[in-house]
Amino acid sequence: MDDRSSKLILVPILAVLFVMIGYQYICPAGSTSCHFKSGEKLSGVSLLSIPYQESDEFYRDQDLEDDSPPKVPSKFNFTERDLERHVEFNIKGDDVIVFLHIQKTGGTTFGRHLVRNIRLEQPCDCKPGQKKCTCHRPGKAESWLFSRFSTGWSCGLHADWTELTNCVPVVMGKKEAQMNKRHDGTDSPDAAGDVVVALTSFQSKVIKVRVQKKADRINEDLLSEATESRGLWDSVASITGAASRSNDAEKKEDVLNIFSVASGHLYERFLRIMMLSVLRHTKTPVKFWFLKNFLSPSFKEAIPHMAEAYGFQYELVQYKWPRWLHQQTEKQRLIWGYKILFLDVLFPLAVDKIIFVDADQIVRADLKELRDLPLDGAPYGYTPFCDSRREMDGYRFWKSGYWASHLGHRKYHISALYVVDLKKFRKIAAGDRLRGQYQALSQDPNSLSNLDQDLPNNMIHQVAIKSLPQEWLWCETWCDDVSKGNAKTIDLCNNPRTKEPKLTAAARIVPEWVEYDNDIKRLLRRIQEERGHAPVQEERGHAPVQEERGHAPVQEERGHAPVQAPSGAPSPKPKQDGQRDEL
């Protein structure tokens, strides 16, 4: 009986305690919004008249520490000047916001707002399920916010002002040093002084190295064309030792670097004649660079004997087309791609300037002149197309349509001869820019029909072209006969009107071409006789069947609009027949 009575007494006691606790929670001390304390009657007020709060909002408010600050009179006498104070914050510089989290002041809610609800150029990256967000400066892997929701409790739980003052500089310094020394894909820890890379197979290995600007170079643009200070490639050259080797080489010997490509016996024959014309008009030592990918075995076999006989240096270079870059299926377009897309990676860093000369070209001047010609800040220089032969006006596709509107007052340049300042080219990342534009335009089969020529002309507003004097390239198809006397090089352009075979045109236009050809034939014959072999095919002098019939290759005859016009620009107009100036 006693146990039963005690249980009955305990029930009302617990009920009273529950009511008191609930009352204190609803009407805390000092609150002026509780109707029970003020003695106001609840007449006319029903449960239906109380604003309904959705369950998700209710639980969200409960989850936050201080989402709804209590409505109590302020205990702090802040002046209006303090409340309306403006502080300059440079998010792109070195400024860091340090959030001092004081308990029971709404710090959790405010901290979440800092990482989630501020409109920034580069907003904080907050991933679902993670409390911390990544708040980096625009274009940098540096944090601009030091708070619970960005860096965590790096200085301890609810660190006070003194702790933060001593702790923050140390923590930020460690993070910055860690980011500067970070490298992925190596076989050594980030803090190691020497980076070890183990090559255990023939498969490519990708190494990611994180770098950062120096404190005194924060506002300097590494890719700016106006910046003439040491750039990224200069730093790489100094690290690898190529810079010192380059300086030593320049002091010892002044070398004229000539780059060219050829495919097929006919164009290898033209290539040899071009080389001899270069050597006959310069006293500067010459080094030829050839794309190994497309040369025939007979050319590779004969080139060492030519180098010994005529006294020049040569080097065969090759580069595998990247998997991520849009592939070309036609061999001729593949060659055009190699002419322009990989200039920054084909040659050693020690090569400062290089001149591309088409295989079917005859040089009549010292190319050292062209190499030393100032480019006025541009990474390369091209010769514009001639417009003096008036009977060809109907074939000048760049005078109307897309090219006329895109180029404006600028000229359309030919790719048969150009000089490249490789140091400038690499410094402004011209190769990356050209490859990016190529990747975008090459998806359309009607774009970039003359790839090596259309691409640099299309990018003329982003990668400047220095227009070389017209005398540096003369072509009978586009230039009149009067200007031929001043020509420093003669290009055997295809003529869409006459469709004259190149061999016939070469002997007619350039008298010395036959002399060069016979000279090389004698050398090749002597080489074969010494080896006891029959003369090679290129000595016979036969052009491919298509050329003998007097027709230009099919690709050149087609001629589509060179590039895809941007939105709002007029659609490119198809070119006339035979507009391509070269193979």
Side-chain angles (χ1 to χ4, degrees):
M1 185 71 179
D2 294 338
D3 294 339
R4 188 173 181 182
S5 60
S6 61
K7 289 181 180 179
L8 293 175
I9 296 173
L10 184 62
V11 169
I13 293 175
L14 292 174
V16 171
L17 289 174
F18 179 77
V19 171
M20 293 177 64
I21 293 172
Y23 178 78
Q24 287 295 325
Y25 181 80
I26 297 172
C27 301
S31 174
T32 59
S33 60
C34 185
H35 296 283
F36 298 102
K37 287 187 176 183
S38 58
E40 296 181 5
K41 296 181 179 180
L42 299 176
S43 59
V45 178
S46 65
L47 290 176
L48 296 177
S49 64
I50 299 175
Y52 173 72
Q53 185 177 21
E54 295 183 1
S55 60
D56 58 343
E57 293 181 359
F58 175 80
Y59 287 111
R60 184 168 68 249
D61 291 345
Q62 294 297 321
D63 182 60
L64 301 178
E65 266 188 21
D66 301 299
D67 194 46
S68 301
K71 297 180 180 180
V72 295
S74 175
K75 298 179 182 180
F76 304 99
N77 297 322
F78 291 110
T79 64
E80 185 176 352
R81 180 181 178 184
D82 293 331
L83 296 176
E84 296 183 357
R85 183 177 54 166
H86 295 279
V87 179
E88 294 291 335
F89 176 71
N90 184 11
I91 194 171
K92 295 183 178 180
D94 297 326
D95 296 348
V96 177
I97 293 179
V98 179
F99 179 54
L100 176 59
H101 189 144
I102 301 176
Q103 298 183 70
K104 303 303 179 184
T105 59
T108 302
T109 303
F110 185 75
R112 284 200 181 103
H113 280 304
L114 279 177
V115 296
R116 297 179 184 272
N117 301 329
I118 299 181
R119 294 181 180 179
L120 299 171
E121 179 180 340
Q122 182 176 329
C124 295
D125 183 16
C126 301
K127 297 181 180 179
Q130 295 185 4
K131 291 184 178 181
K132 291 195 296 182
C133 303
T134 303
C135 300
H136 283 167
R137 306 182 192 275
K140 298 180 181 179
E142 298 178 4
S143 180
W144 57 268
L145 177 63
F146 191 95
S147 75
R148 168 188 174 184
F149 294 106
S150 61
T151 57
W153 299 109
S154 301
C155 297
L157 188 64
H158 295 291
D160 58 20
W161 173 264
T162 305
E163 290 173 323
L164 286 176
T165 304
N166 298 328
C167 170
V168 170
V170 177
V171 173
M172 295 298 289
K174 288 181 179 179
K175 288 182 177 293
E176 184 177 348
Q178 184 179 4
M179 290 301 297
N180 289 344
K181 296 180 180 179
R182 185 174 176 181
H183 42 82
D184 302 329
T186 66
D187 297 278
S188 57
D190 290 337
D194 296 328
V195 179
V196 178
V197 180
L199 299 178
T200 57
S201 69
F202 288 103
Q203 295 182 348
S204 60
K205 190 164 188 176
V206 179
I207 301 173
K208 295 181 180 179
V209 181
R210 299 183 181 273
V211 297
Q212 187 181 27
K213 290 183 180 179
K214 295 181 179 179
D216 58 339
R217 301 289 183 90
I218 292 296
N219 298 322
E220 185 175 318
D221 186 2
L222 294 178
L223 303 182
S224 172
E225 297 189 20
T227 304
E228 294 298 333
S229 58
R230 286 171 55 84
L232 178 62
W233 278 100
D234 294 322
S235 301
V236 174
S238 63
I239 293 173
T240 59
S244 59
R245 291 195 298 268
S246 174
N247 293 334
D248 293 341
E250 286 179 359
K251 293 177 182 177
K252 293 178 182 177
E253 191 175 26
D254 181 21
V255 178
L256 189 59
N257 294 286
I258 308 296
F259 173 48
S260 192
V261 295
S263 178
H265 293 305
L266 174 66
Y267 274 83
E268 287 179 353
R269 179 180 175 184
F270 281 125
L271 178 59
R272 292 190 185 97
I273 295 170
M274 180 274 289
M275 294 165 58
L276 189 53
S277 70
V278 171
L279 295 169
R280 291 283 174 87
H281 291 89
T282 185
K283 295 181 179 179
T284 307
V286 178
K287 183 171 184 178
F288 291 100
W289 300 80
F290 305 113
L291 202 59
K292 185 179 180 181
N293 310 41
F294 306 102
L295 293 177
S296 67
S298 59
F299 184 91
K300 296 175 187 176
E301 183 182 351
I303 192 67
H305 300 282
M306 286 189 62
E308 183 180 357
Y310 295 118
F312 63 83
Q313 304 173 48
Y314 74 94
E315 190 163 335
L316 306 181
V317 293
Q318 59 182 345
Y319 185 77
K320 185 178 180 181
W321 194 281
R323 294 191 301 269
W324 55 267
L325 197 63
H326 180 70
Q327 296 281 346
Q328 291 294 331
T329 55
E330 297 180 24
K331 185 177 182 181
Q332 187 59 65
R333 293 183 60 80
L334 192 63
I335 293 175
W336 291 343
Y338 274 104
K339 278 178 61 176
I340 185 64
L341 291 175
F342 309 115
L343 294 172
D344 52 339
V345 293
L346 273 176
F347 310 104
L349 295 176
V351 179
D352 293 336
K353 273 190 175 183
I354 199 158
I355 300 173
F356 178 86
V357 184
D358 241 355
D360 60 342
Q361 206 162 342
I362 302 296
V363 177
R364 287 182 162 183
D366 190 350
L367 289 182
K368 185 177 184 294
E369 252 184 86
L370 178 59
R371 186 200 64 182
D372 298 338
L373 193 71
L375 299 181
D376 300 333
Y380 43 39
Y382 285 73
T383 307
F385 265 95
C386 281
D387 55 6
S388 54
R389 193 170 290 277
R390 295 303 177 190
E391 58 267 31
M392 299 299 293
D393 284 347
Y395 295 92
R396 291 185 171 90
F397 58 88
W398 59 90
K399 293 289 186 180
S400 61
Y402 170 75
W403 283 114
S405 60
H406 177 74
L407 295 173
H409 66 280
R410 296 175 175 85
K411 296 181 179 181
Y412 186 84
H413 299 81
I414 188 172
S415 61
L417 176 75
Y418 53 89
V419 56
V420 185
D421 183 348
L422 290 174
K423 293 184 69 175
K424 184 71 175 181
F425 192 89
R426 291 169 177 138
K427 183 177 291 186
I428 66 171
D432 291 332
R433 299 182 189 185
L434 290 169
R435 287 187 287 268
Q437 185 75 345
Y438 163 81
Q439 185 74 355
L441 294 176
S442 60
Q443 310 297 327
D444 181 4
N446 293 326
S447 293
L448 301 175
S449 64
N450 295 328
L451 197 163
D452 58 322
Q453 197 164 269
D454 292 341
L455 185 60
N457 281 284
N458 179 251
M459 288 286 289
I460 195 170
H461 301 288
Q462 292 79 26
V463 183
I465 296 178
K466 165 68 174 178
S467 294
L468 302 177
Q470 196 66 63
E471 61 194 22
W472 273 109
L473 193 144
W474 185 90
C475 172
E476 187 185 56
T477 304
W478 310 107
C479 308
D480 60 15
D481 296 331
V482 177
S483 56
K484 183 180 178 182
N486 298 324
K488 295 184 176 181
T489 67
I490 296 178
D491 187 56
L492 300 175
C493 303
N494 288 320
N495 193 317
R497 294 175 71 243
T498 63
K499 295 182 172 58
E500 184 180 12
K502 279 190 181 286
L503 287 174
T504 307
R508 179 182 57 82
I509 298 172
V510 189
E512 63 267 30
W513 189 90
V514 177
E515 177 190 342
Y516 293 149
D517 189 34
N518 291 331
D519 194 329
I520 294 172
K521 280 183 180 180
R522 287 190 294 270
L523 174 64
L524 295 178
R525 190 177 298 113
R526 188 172 68 249
I527 295 171
Q528 295 300 328
E529 288 174 354
E530 290 175 358
R531 296 195 168 196
H533 296 160
V536 292
Q537 181 183 359
E538 54 267 34
E539 285 198 70
R540 298 170 190 162
H542 294 302
V545 175
Q546 193 176 23
E547 285 284 340
E548 289 291 341
R549 293 175 183 170
H551 298 292
V554 177
Q555 171 67 24
E556 299 173 359
E557 291 290 328
R558 279 203 304 258
H560 295 288
V563 292
Q564 185 180 21
S567 57
S571 300
K573 181 181 178 182
K575 292 190 282 188
Q576 305 285 347
D577 282 347
Q579 297 253 322
R580 178 59 166 152
D581 61 285
E582 54 163 319
L583 272 176

